[in-house]
Amino acid sequence: MAPAPPPPPICLPFTGKKPRRRLSFSSAQPGGSPYTSSSYSGNSSFTASQLSRHQSYSSQGTMPAKRGLETTRDVDALTFYSDSEKYDDIPTDTLPTLPSGKDKKDKPKLVRSNTMTGSKKSKWGYGWGIGKKNKEKEAEAEREAAEKPPSISSGTNLPMYESPRIMPVRSNTKTTQFSKMTGMTGTTSQTLARSNTRDTQNTMQTDSSSTLVGSALERKIHPEESLTEKVDTSDRLNELRALMMKEKDPLQYYIVPSEDAHGSEYVSASDQRRRFISGFTGSAGQAIITMDAAYLITDSRYWIQAESQLDSNWNLVKAGGPANPKDWIEWLHPLISNSRIGIDGRMISYEKATLVNSKLASRGTKLVYPIQNLVDIVWKDKPAKSRDPVFLHPIEFTGEHATSKIARLRDWIRSQPPEVSQYSRSQEPSSSKINIATLITSLDAIAWLLNMRGSDIPYNPLFHSYLFVSLERAVLFLEEPKASEDVNAYLQSIGVERRNYTEIWAFLRNREWNSQGKIIISPQTSYTISLVLTHFRCTVLPSYVEHMMAIKNDIELEGLRRAYLRDGVCYVRFLAWLEDKISQGYDVTEWEAAHRLTEFRRKAKHFMGLAYENISASGPNAALPHYSPKKYETDMISRNAPYLNDSGGQYLDGTCDTTRTVHFGRPDPDQCEAYTRVLQGHIAIDSAVFPEGTSGHQLDVLARRALWKDGLNYLHGTGHGFGSYLTVHEGPQGFSSNVPLVPGHVVTNEPGFYNAGKWGMRIESALIVRRCKTRGNFNGDIWLGFERLTCVPIQTRMVKESMLTKEEKQWLKDHNTRCYDMLTPYIKDDKRAMNWLRRESQRQIGLANPAPGGLTVDWG
């Protein structure tokens, strides 16, 4: 009989009193390199001066632009030195000189290092840069680097959706919610480095800039963000209150929503009115201003952020909290009586305005709609509207021509029954009661219907417009500078005329469709549009275009499969890089980790930008579901708490949304139990089989059942629909919706748990609804299930095996094996990523028990 396998090795590296090292020199020094004569005295030919600019994508790049439909993108040439670094080979002349042992004080101590990973470590437990640094030489090298002009001419940040007139290409159109940096370069940046290192005492700066080249390095050194500071809103509020008093009938309240005139979740810089008036940068919330107070109402995702950003003029209302109102409508209702509440009618939907008016009428109060937006009057330096050109989305990605989509929409208009009053003597409807057209105001619906994309909204390839479609004609309201000759020719070829964006109001007032009948609008259409049309000329129905775009065709589904596979490759490369750095003792910030993952994605085929702002969180920050780090306001990734990364790329063939939670140390029992419950909920949704007519809301309990057993829960939704190179939140379907799931729907599956102030965790994968075969096949072929798109392994370190059923263990093993099989062909040349993927797909569940003496090991 063969001997039993040896136990896992116990690593006892030599460690000294020197604190863990940060990744590299400060990013404030563009020419800085960790390989200076003081820290690396080997004979390597690599020097800071030889950091060459590789071909890289940049709107201000120095490489000549390529033309034509089939081009080799510059971004594909961007390389990372870290992809080929031999981290296990230490230059011989950098090894420490061990003491003779004559003096006990000189003897090295055998101490237990962290046992957080089973990844391969360097020979002596050290990384690069061993030895005492020569302070004078280091300072001299930094001065020389600072005096040397950077060789990188591009100062771009993440490219977002700007495209030329021929073929969609990426450029710097990312409009973040933070102002551009001013005066944040050079030595100034050093003063802004964070000092809180949480579980390390190292105060050196680090940004692994040594492994970035070209525009990637420049994006890292000069991100388009600055320190978030509280804004003094006193003058703004005083001006706004003066305008409230100047109204013909003075206003007692004024409401500033987050949305734009199209009800968008993300809005352009020129539409961030609530942010301007309050200083709060979160994506959700409403500002309510009275003559003597100001209130911000937002949900639990943003409570901590709002508390840190609001100045003393504001009061935070925690919507959805215990004993708190669920939204601003419920909060406002008991406080008002015989009041006038002002709001821009374009910024509130027909559905919400109707609800508010019905509730306020009983209290002698009503909404009023000033002619001008009062915040716009106060906002003296308001950014201009985007004039970036729109571009066409090819049929190879859409799977259906725009003419076919418009024809289907017109068939639906014809099928809608006319309005006939029950008191009418004649059962024949008059021509004025027949539905003859629809007005589409949702930006993603317009982009999908016309197979066009734009760059007006951050993280969303959309453009500001309205679309009127009748049985005979179609009119797109789009500003002239945004439409190139090719776009105008395309619109003409599909029977769509173009008029300027602001002409929509004259078009509606003058009834320029030249025929009697009703216009169909959705409940999300702005209330102002319904007022212009009047209820005699409009019919309110759920958006049919939203229904059409939610059911993906075969081409879109295949595109999503390819996009998630490429995104999974980037995610695995990133996790392998991150664990490798941390296992060597480097400290990595949350922002640095998010930035590095974006750089990996930037090299992927068809990459067009991020789908949303990176969520990269460790420790207490991970307990905030929508926390997003900033370069100068970020924490170190802890080795003692879970690290959560929720991010995704926008690709020409799909929009991605993936979350994984990992641990780089030894998780405690509470973390393991919570993570296992979250995983069980994730598996329950993924494995569900259900009959036609079942909604996501009916399945939601499956994700929470395991958590509920232990009295745990999460306050956000379990999942949402997403687009095909559109928005990351899309459609009527989701696990909070009563809309029945049908084949072709796509949804995310993202249960989580958040231990406030300590740690948080979430596991998210994307799913396709499809038909499945069952043994009983009761009532025929009516049974549905899910196909998993996401191809990223789930770490087993925090899983408590004894809590899993046999089926759940098999699901976990099958998922990780599937990821290995699908990703291997794409990363087989990346030794580090390949080793990480192989280990994660083969490792056992959980951690080994502590060895005698308290030493701990991990499965290899």
Side-chain angles (χ1 to χ4, degrees):
M1 185 174 67
I10 300 177
C11 298
L12 299 171
F14 291 98
T15 58
K17 296 182 179 180
K18 182 179 177 179
R20 289 191 296 267
R21 294 173 298 120
R22 300 283 296 270
L23 277 171
S24 68
F25 276 10
S26 168
S27 63
Q29 304 295 341
S33 168
Y35 304 101
T36 62
S37 59
S38 60
S39 63
Y40 181 21
S41 57
N43 296 323
S44 171
S45 59
F46 179 83
T47 63
S49 62
Q50 291 173 313
L51 278 174
S52 59
R53 174 180 171 82
H54 288 234
Q55 287 184 335
S56 56
Y57 191 89
S58 168
S59 61
Q60 302 176 11
T62 57
M63 302 300 298
K66 295 180 174 62
R67 302 186 181 277
L69 292 177
E70 299 297 328
T71 61
T72 302
R73 302 186 309 152
D74 292 344
V75 67
D76 294 331
L78 189 148
T79 60
F80 297 91
Y81 284 120
S82 63
D83 292 344
S84 57
E85 273 184 345
K86 297 181 179 180
Y87 292 103
D88 300 321
D89 296 341
I90 303 177
T92 56
D93 51 353
T94 66
L95 291 175
T97 303
L98 297 179
S100 62
K102 294 181 181 180
D103 189 344
K104 292 183 178 181
K105 294 182 180 180
D106 294 334
K107 290 184 179 180
K109 296 180 181 179
L110 283 175
V111 257
R112 289 180 287 119
S113 67
N114 67 62
T115 56
M116 60 252 177
T117 71
S119 59
K120 189 175 181 181
K121 299 184 180 179
S122 56
K123 184 176 180 181
W124 290 94
Y126 291 88
W128 291 103
I130 298 173
K132 184 176 179 180
K133 289 183 171 62
N134 185 317
K135 301 296 183 181
E136 296 180 359
K137 291 184 178 180
E138 181 181 283
E140 182 180 353
E142 290 185 355
R143 285 194 299 271
E144 292 177 356
E147 295 171 358
K148 187 182 300 182
S151 59
I152 303 167
S153 61
S154 168
T156 64
N157 202 326
L158 177 65
M160 298 297 293
Y161 316 122
E162 178 178 294
S163 298
R165 300 173 185 269
I166 300 178
M167 180 66 182
V169 202
R170 294 169 286 117
S171 68
N172 179 29
T173 59
K174 174 173 180 281
T175 313
T176 64
Q177 295 182 352
F178 292 84
S179 59
K180 292 187 176 181
M181 295 174 56
T182 55
M184 303 286 281
T185 59
T187 56
T188 306
S189 296
Q190 295 180 353
T191 65
L192 296 173
R194 46 171 303 287
S195 59
N196 173 26
T197 56
R198 190 182 297 165
D199 60 342
T200 178
Q201 297 179 356
N202 191 350
T203 57
M204 292 174 59
Q205 290 192 86
T206 164
D207 293 307
S208 74
S209 54
S210 61
T211 57
L212 291 176
V213 294
S215 60
L217 175 62
E218 186 69 6
R219 281 189 298 269
K220 179 187 200 55
I221 295 172
H222 302 297
E224 289 189 353
E225 65 180 51
S226 61
L227 284 169
T228 303
E229 299 178 353
K230 285 187 178 181
V231 177
D232 185 354
T233 60
S234 300
D235 292 341
R236 301 173 185 182
L237 290 173
N238 290 336
E239 289 185 52
L240 182 63
R241 288 172 178 137
L243 294 173
M244 292 166 61
M245 292 298 297
K246 286 182 180 179
E247 289 291 310
K248 183 177 181 181
D249 294 313
L251 305 175
Q252 286 74 49
Y253 296 84
Y254 192 75
I255 301 175
V256 185
S258 300
E259 295 80 9
D260 61 9
H262 303 272
S264 305
E265 178 184 11
Y266 291 93
V267 298
S268 65
S270 60
D271 287 317
Q272 293 178 2
R273 299 175 178 85
R274 192 226 55 227
R275 177 189 172 183
F276 168 79
I277 200 65
S278 68
F280 169 62
T281 62
S283 63
Q286 297 77 31
I288 299 181
I289 296 93
T290 70
M291 297 309 297
D292 54 7
Y295 303 89
L296 178 81
I297 296 90
T298 190
D299 60 59
S300 60
R301 297 173 298 172
Y302 301 103
W303 291 347
I304 295 179
Q305 178 181 346
E307 288 173 344
S308 65
Q309 292 182 339
L310 297 175
D311 68 3
S312 58
N313 293 299
W314 290 85
N315 302 284
L316 175 62
V317 179
K318 298 181 177 181
N324 285 355
K326 66 177 182 179
D327 56 25
W328 68 271
I329 300 174
E330 188 175 299
W331 175 81
L332 189 62
H333 182 261
L335 303 178
I336 54 175
S337 179
N338 300 318
S339 302
R340 289 170 54 83
I341 303 175
I343 190 172
D344 187 335
R346 299 170 302 159
M347 309 304 165
I348 186 170
S349 68
Y350 170 87
E351 180 180 46
K352 188 167 291 185
T354 303
L355 173 64
V356 173
N357 280 322
S358 65
K359 288 190 173 185
L360 298 182
S362 62
R363 303 186 64 85
T365 300
K366 64 177 181 178
L367 291 178
V368 294
Y369 314 99
I371 297 177
Q372 281 186 288
N373 188 296
L374 302 188
V375 175
D376 287 349
I377 301 175
V378 175
W379 197 354
K380 301 297 192 298
D381 56 348
K382 179 183 175 183
K385 283 281 188 182
S386 168
R387 298 171 69 88
D388 294 331
V390 300
F391 56 92
L392 308 182
H393 197 41
I395 187 66
E396 65 182 284
F397 301 117
T398 66
E400 184 180 8
H401 288 284
T403 50
S404 172
K405 296 178 181 180
I406 294 173
R408 286 203 285 149
L409 178 60
R410 284 173 170 153
D411 289 341
W412 174 78
I413 296 173
R414 293 188 187 97
S415 69
Q416 299 311 300
E419 180 182 344
V420 178
S421 172
Q422 58 180 333
Y423 303 108
S424 176
R425 295 181 179 179
S426 173
Q427 295 301 312
E428 289 295 325
S430 64
S431 58
S432 63
K433 302 296 183 181
I434 299 176
N435 297 301
I436 60 169
T438 184
L439 178 65
I440 306 170
T441 63
S442 174
L443 300 185
D444 57 344
I446 296 172
W448 180 86
L449 189 68
L450 298 180
N451 290 343
M452 295 167 60
R453 300 293 187 267
S455 55
D456 291 351
I457 309 292
Y459 307 110
N460 296 268
L462 307 176
F463 51 93
H464 291 122
S465 59
Y466 295 96
L467 180 62
F468 177 87
V469 179
S470 71
L471 300 178
E472 293 83 23
R473 65 187 294 203
V475 183
L476 176 66
F477 295 89
L478 174 72
E479 288 300 331
E480 183 177 2
K482 302 173 73 65
S484 64
E485 293 181 4
D486 292 339
V487 169
N488 283 324
Y490 167 77
L491 291 173
Q492 186 175 2
S493 70
I494 62 175
V496 176
E497 59 180 289
R498 188 197 59 77
R499 299 178 63 169
N500 284 333
Y501 178 75
T502 55
E503 292 182 28
I504 179 66
W505 306 109
F507 181 85
L508 296 178
R509 280 195 301 267
N510 299 330
R511 302 176 65 183
E512 294 185 25
W513 48 92
N514 298 325
S515 60
Q516 288 189 329
K518 288 204 165 190
I519 311 300
I520 300 173
I521 62 174
S522 76
Q524 289 73 43
T525 302
S526 77
Y527 193 59
T528 296
I529 286 180
S530 71
L531 292 177
V532 173
L533 288 173
T534 76
H535 72 278
F536 296 108
R537 291 186 298 195
C538 70
T539 302
V540 181
L541 294 172
S543 171
Y544 183 66
V545 177
E546 189 178 66
H547 167 76
M548 292 168 61
M549 65 193 292
I551 303 176
K552 310 302 182 195
N553 59 45
D554 291 341
I555 299 297
E556 289 174 316
L557 291 177
E558 188 57 36
L560 285 168
R561 292 185 184 100
R562 293 194 304 266
Y564 270 91
L565 184 60
R566 291 195 303 273
D567 202 68
V569 169
C570 301
Y571 212 112
V572 165
R573 290 182 188 273
F574 157 72
L575 288 176
W577 171 86
L578 181 59
E579 185 174 282
D580 182 65
K581 288 294 185 182
I582 290 180
S583 69
Q584 295 182 58
Y586 287 98
D587 285 325
V588 184
T589 67
E590 299 160 324
W591 181 91
E592 161 67 19
H595 171 84
R596 181 55 65 115
L597 177 51
T598 299
E599 291 301 326
F600 279 119
R601 284 188 168 119
R602 196 183 297 274
K603 297 174 63 180
K605 183 179 181 182
H606 296 323
F607 177 78
M608 298 297 286
L610 292 180
Y612 50 99
E613 195 169 14
N614 282 318
I615 298 172
S616 174
S618 177
N621 293 333
L624 308 175
H626 277 224
Y627 166 84
S628 183
K630 307 304 172 189
K631 183 171 184 179
Y632 300 107
E633 301 170 11
T634 182
D635 286 340
M636 293 294 175
I637 294 177
S638 172
R639 294 161 173 83
N640 302 315
Y643 167 69
L644 185 154
N645 188 289
D646 182 344
S647 59
Q650 285 279 21
Y651 304 91
L652 288 174
D653 46 2
T655 300
C656 296
D657 185 359
T658 300
T659 306
R660 289 293 182 265
T661 305
V662 296
H663 203 294
F664 298 109
R666 189 171 182 87
D668 63 42
D670 288 343
Q671 294 169 356
C672 291
E673 290 179 10
Y675 185 81
T676 304
R677 292 305 189 195
V678 170
L679 175 61
Q680 288 177 308
H682 186 86
I683 295 173
I685 289 288
D686 186 275
S687 308
V689 176
F690 49 93
E692 288 179 345
T694 304
S695 69
H697 183 66
Q698 291 172 295
L699 298 177
D700 180 79
V701 67
L702 298 178
R704 302 177 189 270
R705 179 175 176 271
L707 286 162
W708 286 355
K709 283 184 177 181
D710 289 344
L712 308 178
N713 201 2
Y714 53 94
L715 298 180
H716 58 73
T718 299
H720 52 81
F722 54 93
S724 177
Y725 185 37
L726 277 171
T727 59
V728 75
H729 295 152
E730 177 189 280
Q733 81 280 9
F735 291 107
S736 301
S737 169
N738 289 316
V739 174
L741 297 173
V742 299
H745 275 165
V746 291
V747 291
T748 61
N749 170 19
E750 47 183 312
F753 177 70
Y754 310 94
N755 191 349
K758 295 182 179 179
W759 43 263
M761 50 190 57
R762 184 167 62 251
I763 305 174
E764 178 184 19
S765 297
L767 308 173
I768 299 173
V769 180
R770 66 175 187 179
R771 297 197 179 277
C772 63
K773 297 295 182 180
T774 59
R775 185 173 61 180
N777 210 33
F778 181 80
N779 267 356
D781 189 20
I782 65 167
W783 298 94
L784 305 176
F786 295 113
E787 172 192 342
R788 197 178 324 115
L789 287 169
T790 306
C791 197
V792 179
I794 294 174
Q795 191 188 60
T796 61
R797 181 184 308 233
M798 285 186 287
V799 180
K800 197 169 182 179
E801 185 175 14
S802 61
M803 295 172 62
L804 297 182
T805 66
K806 179 181 178 181
E807 291 76 14
E808 289 167 342
K809 294 176 187 176
Q810 189 61 46
W811 184 97
L812 182 57
K813 178 180 178 181
D814 290 345
H815 168 74
N816 286 345
T817 300
R818 172 178 173 268
C819 292
Y820 177 81
D821 294 339
M822 295 184 67
L823 297 176
T824 295
Y826 302 95
I827 63 172
K828 59 185 178 182
D829 296 330
D830 186 336
K831 181 180 178 181
R832 179 176 59 207
M834 195 66 232
N835 289 339
W836 183 92
L837 178 62
R838 183 183 298 107
R839 190 195 71 229
E840 289 300 314
S841 63
Q842 296 175 358
R843 73 187 305 164
Q844 300 183 46
I845 295 175
L847 293 169
N849 292 325
L855 293 177
T856 57
V857 296
D858 189 11
W859 300 119

